[in-house]
Amino acid sequence: MWYAIIGTDNANSLEARKSARPDHLARLQQLQDEGRMLLAGPFPAIDAEDPGPAGFSGSLIVAEFASLAEARAWAAADPYVAAGVYRETSVKPFRKVLP
């Protein structure tokens, strides 16, 4: 089943995000390589494609897992959690309708 993982950033976490990004992207790439990734990306903190020093307010990942527990465990092990980028994560079942 698909699950939406929403990470909400701590204030002033841009530098920690930049440092942890390679490891974070490697995990996302693994999901992609396994055919389990629907989409992933950050939420710019301002209305801009590149928010510059304003950074990001969080991220959304929609990926396939065998269970809610598995999705939660995967989210808890994200490098952004370990680096203090995310102040919280939420994982919800997701049903794709369109396209």
Side-chain angles (χ1 to χ4, degrees):
M1 180 170 188
W2 294 112
Y3 293 90
I5 300 168
I6 301 111
T8 304
D9 285 17
N10 280 304
N12 303 310
S13 61
L14 183 58
E15 291 308 313
R17 179 182 269 272
K18 288 178 181 177
S19 294
R21 189 170 189 260
D23 292 337
H24 172 77
L25 291 179
R27 293 180 84 231
L28 295 178
Q29 187 61 55
Q30 181 178 358
L31 289 176
Q32 179 70 28
D33 292 347
E34 294 169 358
R36 298 170 48 206
M37 172 70 64
L38 185 62
L39 63 90
F43 301 121
I46 60 173
D47 188 14
E49 180 75 22
D50 179 358
F56 301 91
S57 63
S59 304
L60 170 65
I61 300 163
V62 179
E64 187 176 31
F65 294 93
S67 67
L68 180 58
E70 184 182 313
R72 284 181 174 153
W74 189 92
D78 193 290
Y80 282 176
V81 172
V85 175
Y86 292 156
R87 68 176 164 83
E88 70 176 325
T89 57
S90 116
V91 181
K92 301 177 182 187
F94 180 82
R95 195 179 95 187
K96 183 179 178 221
V97 175
L98 291 172

